[in-house]
Amino acid sequence: QVQLVESGGGLVQAGGSLRLSCAASGRTFSRFLNMGWFRQAPGKEREFVATISWSVSNTYYADSVKGRFAISRANAKNTVYLEMNNLKPEDTAVYYCAASGPLREARPEEYNYWGRGTQVTVSS
């Protein structure tokens, strides 16, 4: 089992920045899993945001966040980050960390482990 705990969400004005963190624990080799971020806005389905390989050499992003968001990880700390810049009101959602999924744009059901999410609200 892998436990994931997100943090770093909050309220920010449009154009601002936030950095989300996801701490993984439970499986000693969790650092070898691909990690991802998803988000779910009210009334909408959960959608892919970004993913990163365990080797840190590969990342993929949804078109809606390319150039604004950056995913990274610190394997020694079992932590994944999502740096979000130039935030827009349409980025408002609950952001979820996920583990053990494919290294591409994926559907939520393709990931095996999930955190409980952290709320990001962007005001206009």
Side-chain angles (χ1 to χ4, degrees):
Q1 287 289 337
V2 176
Q3 289 78 46
L4 304 173
V5 179
E6 303 94 337
S7 61
L11 173 64
V12 64
Q13 288 187 331
S17 299
L18 280 176
R19 188 194 197 201
L20 305 183
S21 299
C22 171
S25 62
R27 247 171 70 170
T28 56
F29 52 89
S30 63
R31 66 185 64 184
F32 298 111
L33 301 175
N34 296 329
M35 302 292 293
W37 286 95
F38 287 73
R39 66 186 181 185
Q40 188 166 16
K44 295 188 176 181
E45 294 184 349
R46 193 169 299 188
E47 64 176 8
F48 169 83
V49 174
T51 185
I52 186 168
S53 63
W54 71 269
S55 67
V56 195
S57 60
N58 292 298
T59 57
Y60 293 91
Y61 296 91
D63 287 342
S64 58
V65 306
K66 281 181 183 176
R68 300 188 298 121
F69 290 13
I71 188 171
S72 61
R73 66 191 293 169
N75 286 336
K77 297 180 179 180
N78 274 353
T79 301
V80 180
Y81 305 97
L82 185 68
E83 184 75 33
M84 306 184 295
N85 299 308
N86 191 21
L87 283 160
K88 304 175 181 180
E90 51 263 43
D91 294 318
T92 295
V94 177
Y95 282 72
Y96 296 91
C97 177
S100 188
L103 193 62
R104 53 171 169 77
E105 184 159 353
R107 300 182 305 276
E109 56 266 32
E110 296 183 280
Y111 274 76
N112 293 320
Y113 304 102
W114 291 88
R116 294 189 174 184
T118 184
Q119 176 71 46
V120 172
T121 303
V122 185
S123 63
S124 58

